[in-house]
Amino acid sequence: MRRLSPAAGFLAALAVLLTSGCRESKEPRLYRAPKDMPSPLAGGGHDHDHDHDHDHDHDHPPAGPTWVLPAGWQRLPDQEMRYATFQVDPADPKLVVVVSTFGPESGPVLPNVNRWEQQIGAPVSSEADLGKVVTRVDSNGLRIESVDIRGPAPAGAEEGVRMLAAIIPVPGQVWFFKFVGAESKIAAHKPAYDAFLQSFSLDGGKAPPPDGPAAPVPGLRTYTLPAGWTLDPAPRDMRVATFLIRGGGQEAEVIVTSLPGEQSGTPEANVNRWRAQVGLGAVADLAAVKREAVAVGDVQGTVMEFGGADEPAASGKAIVLVQARRGGSVWYFKLIGPAALVAAHRKALVEFAGSIGFGE
């Protein structure tokens, strides 16, 4: 057998390397839609949304995003291939909302929906069926394709999987939102997710705003505005402020009032007036009214509920009310509206009251 000289052997090896490199570089690279890693329910761990190369249009960079972060959500450290990751429940670290952005060619709705359906084992939608799982939402001048799909329970799980996702095309790129988990967990956080999604906007490159007041309110030096709440600029008699909450085609209000202590009425009269506002009858014994101590700024207050799950009203309405005495005034924060929407924002109301910094 003929032996190659060291120099000849080196050249032969180099030729092999160069040839193999050329073959690899000629393989086609298809970019149809951003790929996701397997769902955390199927394979464990976090869901790494999109695993291919970025193909952003750098010639026409879009404006930077802003959003309103829901109460209790926490932004996690940056991860590769994600713009941002948010933990929605500290008790469930794997329950996260992932925000990603990719090139404009990644935006067709049907391929993305089909890919997500396959990830959770859901039936694959046809073009004709797309309207059953995709809803068009217009918010902040953006077109949002909002996706809601369900799949069967993974092996060993007791309930099915639900995925909320969104596709937001803008000049030069497409934004993706994705929120996947057990059906009951997704349902519990859907109002906050919807509000977060609809708060998304592009305003010329500003960073996401820190938590804080959206607008001044008389008597409140600072406060943290919950996701999905907007301050009604129209003045109302006897009100310090009114916040509007919209969701699922419904609307609720948070009414802020402050009265001198001597004008605040008796506890019996107040409770029965609030009960009447949701269609409940009067009570003679206030001991039957459940109260819970809560923080209201730098003072202690109480929260009460009328027409909730413990005592539903035929009207379908409910009230959650936080009240507190500070100095010579009594402050009231009343959340009133459809029972389901009120229940979804009960926690936000309590956190809002706790975030308040009273003006002197």
Side-chain angles (χ1 to χ4, degrees):
M1 181 176 177
R2 184 179 179 183
R3 298 173 61 92
L4 293 175
S5 67
F10 171 76
L11 292 174
L14 180 60
V16 171
L17 290 173
L18 291 175
T19 303
S20 62
C22 291
R23 283 199 301 266
E24 183 177 355
S25 66
K26 292 179 181 179
E27 292 180 0
R29 297 180 65 187
L30 300 180
Y31 192 113
R32 299 301 184 205
K35 295 181 180 180
D36 299 87
M37 295 294 283
S39 165
L41 293 174
H46 288 294
D47 181 9
H48 292 277
D49 206 20
H50 311 313
D51 62 2
H52 57 72
D53 292 338
H54 289 267
D55 277 322
H56 292 201
D57 184 348
H58 296 290
D59 294 331
H60 302 284
T66 65
W67 50 64
V68 178
L69 198 62
W73 286 29
Q74 180 182 359
R75 185 166 182 171
L76 299 178
D78 290 343
Q79 298 187 36
E80 188 176 358
M81 309 305 291
R82 299 182 180 186
Y83 186 88
T85 306
F86 298 96
Q87 184 183 82
V88 305
D89 185 351
D92 192 348
K94 292 184 180 180
L95 196 62
V96 297
V97 172
V98 174
V99 181
S100 305
T101 180
F102 292 88
E105 63 271 44
S106 64
V109 175
L110 184 60
N112 282 294
V113 169
N114 290 163
R115 176 171 51 82
W116 291 329
E117 288 169 331
Q118 292 170 353
Q119 287 176 0
I120 64 173
V124 175
S125 298
S126 66
E127 188 78 45
D129 293 332
L130 205 54
K132 297 178 182 179
V133 296
V134 179
T135 303
R136 170 75 61 82
V137 178
D138 294 315
S139 179
N140 299 321
L142 301 173
R143 187 189 81 222
I144 303 174
E145 304 290 353
S146 182
V147 180
D148 189 347
I149 54 179
R150 292 172 170 82
E158 297 182 355
E159 61 178 315
V161 182
R162 185 176 183 183
M163 182 191 294
L164 304 178
I167 303 169
I168 307 177
V170 300
Q173 66 181 163
V174 182
W175 290 87
F176 294 88
F177 289 67
K178 186 176 177 185
F179 184 30
V180 60
E183 283 203 40
S184 61
K185 294 181 179 180
I186 298 299
H189 293 280
K190 186 176 185 298
Y193 167 84
D194 287 341
F196 172 66
L197 178 62
Q198 294 181 38
S199 76
F200 179 83
S201 66
L202 298 170
D203 66 350
K206 294 181 181 178
D211 292 339
V217 170
L220 304 184
R221 178 174 47 83
T222 59
Y223 63 90
T224 299
L225 186 68
W229 293 25
T230 57
L231 178 64
D232 185 354
R236 312 283 187 92
D237 289 341
M238 305 297 293
R239 299 186 184 185
V240 172
T242 304
F243 296 93
L244 304 178
I245 303 170
R246 295 182 176 90
Q250 298 179 317
E251 183 174 300
E253 289 185 323
V254 175
I255 301 167
V256 182
T257 56
S258 177
L259 296 172
E262 65 274 10
Q263 298 179 19
S264 60
T266 66
E268 294 82 359
N270 287 333
V271 164
N272 285 320
R273 183 176 70 256
W274 296 323
R275 290 177 61 86
Q277 289 173 358
V278 297
L280 295 175
V283 294
D285 185 6
L286 292 186
V289 179
K290 293 182 180 179
R291 290 178 170 84
E292 178 185 340
V294 295
V296 182
D298 56 0
V299 297
Q300 284 294 109
T302 58
V303 60
M304 295 175 282
E305 188 170 348
F306 308 100
D310 292 340
E311 189 182 15
S315 66
K317 294 183 178 181
I319 288 175
V320 176
L321 184 132
V322 175
Q323 68 174 19
R325 179 180 290 272
R326 188 176 189 275
S329 300
V330 180
W331 285 82
Y332 301 92
F333 305 86
K334 182 173 69 175
L335 168 59
I336 180 171
L341 190 56
V342 168
H345 286 267
R346 184 187 192 281
K347 180 181 177 183
L349 176 70
V350 173
E351 292 176 344
F352 169 72
S355 76
I356 287 169
F358 287 101
E360 298 302 331

